[in-house]
Amino acid sequence: MTTSDDERFGGDSDDELAARLGRLLGEMDPVPDQVVEAAGASLGWRALDTQLARLVAESLETAGAVRGGGVWLLTFEADGLTLEIEVSRSGDRLRIVGQVVPPRSARLRAEQPGTTTEATADELGRFSMPDLPAGPTRFTCTAPGVNITTEWTLLR
């Protein structure tokens, strides 16, 4: 006599086993609230006219003893527009200095779970956000004929 898998595992179907396992994992190792918020926000990342700017380059440059820290450089690109971002740490906060290339005036937003910080790029494309918390962040750049949103990046 042979025994089916359903009989060996108490008669549960694959769907029932998956549901039980999901409940058990949810109790033993729940997903952090910050991850759930970031995942939910990522589902609504764009409007129909928004382009996703992908991270195409990043580097960590260690500053000399004068500055006493490092600078993280990120470059995002979408449809002929580049968003260059420099991240430096000031205590437990982050300072963002960036440039829109080609240069243009633009509105920028740093979106993080539960908060949004806004800045304006001048006619040379320069902008700054001097006081951001570390954490998952995406940037949005809006100008005439331009509407891009970067990938989520964990700023640290």
Side-chain angles (χ1 to χ4, degrees):
M1 176 174 185
T2 61
T3 305
S4 73
D5 285 344
D6 282 350
E7 291 175 89
R8 281 188 294 188
F9 296 110
D12 289 338
S13 70
D14 288 346
D15 291 340
E16 291 168 328
L17 282 173
R20 286 176 52 201
L21 180 58
R23 284 191 300 275
L24 178 63
L25 289 173
E27 292 171 11
M28 300 300 292
D29 187 20
V31 177
D33 291 339
Q34 187 177 24
V35 172
V36 173
E37 288 176 26
S42 72
L43 294 175
W45 71 268
R46 62 181 241 160
L48 292 176
D49 63 343
T50 301
Q51 297 296 316
L52 177 63
R54 298 205 179 272
L55 181 64
V56 295
E58 70 176 307
S59 66
L60 180 64
E61 296 184 0
T62 55
V66 174
R67 291 183 63 189
V71 175
W72 187 23
L73 304 174
L74 303 167
T75 302
F76 296 92
E77 288 183 354
D79 289 340
L81 187 83
T82 301
L83 191 57
E84 296 177 343
I85 296 173
E86 175 183 296
V87 181
S88 59
R89 186 168 278 287
S90 177
D92 64 341
R93 306 296 282 184
L94 301 176
R95 175 176 167 75
I96 306 296
V97 176
Q99 184 167 15
V100 178
V101 180
R104 66 184 71 200
S105 297
R107 294 286 307 151
L108 288 109
R109 240 180 11 255
E111 299 176 21
Q112 298 177 305
T115 187
T116 299
T117 302
E118 295 189 3
T120 301
D122 64 16
E123 64 279 352
L124 298 176
R126 302 172 300 190
F127 66 93
S128 68
M129 297 175 180
D131 187 32
L132 289 178
T137 307
R138 69 178 176 183
F139 294 92
T140 299
C141 177
T142 306
V146 173
N147 194 5
I148 66 167
T149 297
T150 69
E151 300 174 296
W152 283 97
T153 303
L154 182 59
L155 298 184
R156 51 197 186 308

